[in-house]
Amino acid sequence: MNIHNAELTVSAVHKDQYPAEGLPEFAFVGRSNVGKSSLINKLLNRKALARVSGTPGKTATINFYNIDDTIYLVDLPGYGYAVRSEEEIKKWGRMIEDYLHNRNALRHVILLVDSRHEPTEDDKLMLHWIREHHENAIVIATKTDKLKKRELEKNLHMIWKKLRLGEDDILVPFSTKDDEGKFTVWDMIHLMRQNEM
């Protein structure tokens, strides 16, 4: 995809701060530190548009990235482990839940899991929600460059099995070190957007 302009429109903590609805939105979800911000930077050919941190739980807002005034990519706060208070984590949960359930512009939720580890119970719960609201599940296995080829093949099979993915579901290996998965993700977003038009 040729991107001419990509910008962070707003970092929202409340629905009153969301952009006006009109453009389709594609949201990325996953546990803290799974690589959502890194993935967005890679997709947009930018090094630091989405803030990347080694500290889990750094993204504390819902970040809306406007791509050429055609779509929004939405980075949701990570779930699971985070160096935050229990009250903050509950607040995130309510914020994410409200966005997922009530945002009319939301077209698809894409789940990110770490290719090095088994999906967590939170990942399975998130996938269950996706299945209830979308025709198929799209799962991106991040950090594939940190595994040897044989390990990666074994882990992708394990992720497919643990998440009980089916024939209509898609599992995309993704690395920020090269272009693995980048064009596949864009193709899927483009296809989903075309189907909405």
Side-chain angles (χ1 to χ4, degrees):
M1 181 171 179
N2 292 322
I3 298 167
H4 302 290
N5 189 42
E7 61 181 14
L8 174 61
T9 300
V10 67
S11 294
V13 295
H14 192 271
K15 60 185 176 184
D16 293 343
Q17 299 171 319
Y18 296 168
E21 293 200 30
L23 299 181
E25 296 172 10
F26 299 90
F28 296 103
V29 295
R31 69 177 182 80
S32 297
N33 213 30
V34 74
K36 294 183 300 297
S37 299
S38 296
L39 175 137
I40 287 172
N41 283 332
K42 184 67 176 176
L43 290 177
L44 302 180
N45 299 317
R46 301 282 284 275
K47 287 189 178 177
L49 182 61
R51 288 177 61 193
V52 176
S53 171
T55 305
K58 194 70 175 175
T59 302
T61 55
I62 298 178
N63 297 324
F64 292 81
Y65 297 91
N66 183 314
I67 316 303
D68 288 331
D69 287 326
T70 57
I71 62 168
Y72 280 107
L73 298 185
V74 184
D75 185 6
L76 295 174
Y79 49 72
Y81 172 79
V83 187
R84 300 280 174 167
S85 70
E86 191 175 327
E87 182 52 41
E88 279 183 297
I89 291 169
K90 284 180 181 175
K91 186 175 156 189
W92 288 0
R94 290 191 294 269
M95 177 173 66
I96 294 168
E97 201 169 305
D98 179 66
Y99 172 78
L100 291 176
H101 283 93
N102 300 312
R103 186 65 170 168
N104 293 326
L106 179 59
R107 293 295 175 265
H108 212 291
V109 177
I110 299 169
L111 176 65
L112 274 66
V113 297
D114 190 324
S115 64
R116 300 169 298 174
H117 307 295
E118 279 195 19
T120 65
E121 288 305 310
D122 285 335
D123 291 329
K124 293 173 186 175
L125 284 171
M126 190 70 242
L127 189 72
H128 178 72
W129 185 92
I130 291 170
R131 288 197 184 288
E132 288 188 336
H133 294 84
H134 300 302
E135 288 182 11
N136 68 322
I138 298 172
V139 179
I140 297 175
T142 62
K143 308 185 183 187
T144 57
D145 54 278
K146 298 182 185 296
L147 292 170
K148 292 177 181 173
K149 188 176 179 182
R150 194 167 178 179
E151 287 178 307
L152 178 59
E153 287 175 3
K154 179 182 167 188
N155 282 20
L156 290 175
H157 179 72
M158 174 270 295
I159 290 167
W160 188 276
K161 197 172 175 182
K162 293 289 182 181
L163 291 178
R164 298 182 178 178
L165 298 176
E167 59 181 25
D168 293 329
D169 300 325
I170 300 167
L171 178 60
V172 183
F174 194 94
S175 169
T176 57
K177 300 294 182 189
D178 52 37
D179 285 336
E180 181 178 29
K182 174 181 170 181
F183 300 108
T184 303
V185 173
W186 271 126
D187 286 346
M188 289 187 301
I189 290 172
H190 181 69
L191 185 62
M192 287 186 286
R193 182 170 167 260
Q194 289 296 108
N195 290 340
E196 290 288 332
M197 295 171 75

